[in-house]
Amino acid sequence: MPPRVLPPGSKLPLTPVCKHYDTLTSVPPSIQKYFHQRKSIFSFYDWDIRLTDSAWFGVTPEPIANQIAKDLSPPFTSTHSSSSFQDKDSEGGTLIDMFAGAGGNTIAFALSEKWTRIIAIERDADTLACAQHNAEVYGVFEQITWVHGDSFEFLAMLKETPELLDEQVRVDVDRTVVFASPPWGGVGYAEHEVFDLERMEPYNLTELRRACRPMGHVLFLPRTSDIRQVADLVPDGGDKMQVVQYCMRGASKAMVAYIPAEKEQRLLP
Ligand code: MGP
């Protein structure tokens, strides 16, 4: 099924798996650790934030999502060397959140008010319903263009056959940044001293890179990711890229790589 752009204002229905847990005793053991941190994951948790059970594992805690949203500004090219992802003089641009999940990052990007358009893509209907509901709790639902479907298919269409996409998401790739917080293949990632990004499941680094390039893209990766694999992502002819460890209470939660757009895709003056 091709990616479906939801009409403005339209919401997928919440279902019984779009849950809001109130008490620890009702929470499955595998997600109790995250339930304890619920207020730092979503500060508005008590305002009926909803998650599917599997969304708990991948949701970005709000302080980190907000910091990333602060650190990332359009446009995003390799022309500015080390400050490439903070061009404060620029305006507008599109942010595509490839794996919207329960909405943590999407909401933070919308709250930052830096982007002309934010496109949030999620393949699982229940998880997308949670993200839309949570965005409404934060008052940013209307600012987001919601897409139900496969983000790899969406990006391929955007680059190769944009005429087949709904007009509201037929955006200028030269002014688009992709944010990808993919599944890491379960919590087992933490068992590896150095995490091999080519073994990440279900999508490895090469697949993610192929889908996102030549647009600038931001990859939210395990904190122990192999930095040599990340360093190889600097586009040909580029000089630097930034890789940031985002921490809470002194411990890293994730490594985020800011990969500039490829040169031929730079916006001409
Ligand atoms: P964690 O590694 O499960 O726990 O998740 P933590 O808090 O490091 O505790 P520890 O005691 O086990 O060390 C840490 C953070 O990583 C989460 O808050 C998510 O932001 C992120 N995260 C975890 N997983 C398994 C995923 C994932 O599969 N995908 C994405 N995108 N993020 C994940």
Side-chain angles (χ1 to χ4, degrees), residues 66-124:
N66 285 340
Q67 188 61 48
I68 293 171
K70 199 171 160 198
D71 289 347
L72 179 63
S73 296
F76 177 61
T77 70
S78 54
T79 50
H80 308 287
S81 67
S82 62
S83 60
S84 60
F85 62 92
Q86 278 189 307
D87 185 351
K88 294 191 174 59
D89 297 333
S90 61
E91 277 183 21
T94 298
L95 186 287
I96 298 178
D97 187 348
M98 236 181 126
F99 304 95
N105 291 104
T106 300
I107 291 168
F109 288 127
L111 289 171
S112 78
E113 298 185 341
K114 289 181 184 176
W115 303 88
T116 312
R117 186 177 288 281
I118 294 171
I119 300 173
I121 309 173
E122 174 54 51
R123 193 166 81 158
D124 180 65

Side-chain angles (χ1 to χ4, degrees), residues 4-257:
R4 184 165 75 95
V5 181
L6 301 183
S10 117
K11 272 204 211 104
L12 294 185
L14 290 171
T15 69
V17 300
C18 302
K19 294 180 193 159
H20 177 87
Y21 291 114
D22 279 315
T23 54
L24 183 63
T25 48
S26 54
V27 179
S30 60
I31 52 180
Q32 288 189 355
K33 168 177 114 175
Y34 301 99
F35 179 75
H36 285 299
Q37 302 167 24
R38 62 195 177 284
K39 297 278 183 63
S40 54
I41 293 176
F42 284 107
S43 61
F44 285 8
Y45 183 82
D46 288 345
W47 277 262
D48 193 32
I49 288 295
R50 303 287 188 106
L51 293 105
T52 60
D53 284 355
S54 50
W56 280 96
F57 297 97
V59 66
T60 306
E62 190 171 304
I64 292 180
N66 285 340
Q67 188 61 48
I68 293 171
K70 199 171 160 198
D71 289 347
L72 179 63
S73 296
F76 177 61
T77 70
S78 54
T79 50
H80 308 287
S81 67
S82 62
S83 60
S84 60
F85 62 92
Q86 278 189 307
D87 185 351
K88 294 191 174 59
D89 297 333
S90 61
E91 277 183 21
T94 298
L95 186 287
I96 298 178
D97 187 348
M98 236 181 126
F99 304 95
N105 291 104
T106 300
I107 291 168
F109 288 127
L111 289 171
S112 78
E113 298 185 341
K114 289 181 184 176
W115 303 88
T116 312
R117 186 177 288 281
I118 294 171
I119 300 173
I121 309 173
E122 174 54 51
R123 193 166 81 158
D124 180 65
D126 297 317
T127 310
L128 181 57
C130 292
Q132 290 188 300
H133 172 85
N134 297 339
E136 185 155 60
V137 170
Y138 278 79
V140 293
F141 167 73
E142 302 280 352
Q143 294 169 38
I144 298 158
T145 304
W146 301 94
V147 178
H148 178 211
D150 181 87
S151 51
F152 290 85
E153 210 176 318
F154 178 91
L155 292 176
M157 288 171 80
L158 181 63
K159 290 186 282 186
E160 290 153 28
T161 53
E163 67 281 1
L164 298 182
L165 282 175
D166 187 290
E167 208 171 335
Q168 50 171 325
V169 294
R170 223 179 284 160
V171 296
D172 179 358
V173 294
D174 289 346
R175 296 197 65 84
T176 297
V177 176
V178 183
F179 176 80
S181 175
W184 297 345
V187 289
Y189 81 89
E191 289 160 17
H192 303 264
E193 201 176 330
V194 177
F195 185 78
D196 181 350
L197 291 164
E198 291 306 337
R199 287 172 182 261
M200 189 160 64
E201 290 181 348
Y203 317 110
N204 67 21
L205 185 62
T206 301
E207 289 166 307
L208 288 166
R209 171 124 182 91
R210 195 180 298 133
C212 297
R213 65 186 298 204
M215 292 173 274
H217 48 288
V218 178
L219 302 180
F220 187 96
L221 301 168
R223 57 183 170 244
T224 52
S225 297
D226 189 337
I227 194 71
R228 293 162 298 191
Q229 293 174 320
V230 175
D232 282 344
L233 301 176
V234 178
D236 287 345
D239 43 13
K240 298 181 190 174
M241 58 182 264
Q242 294 219 354
V243 180
V244 182
Q245 291 280 359
Y246 285 92
C247 303
M248 278 174 69
R249 291 181 285 275
S252 174
K253 292 281 169 185
M255 177 191 289
V256 177

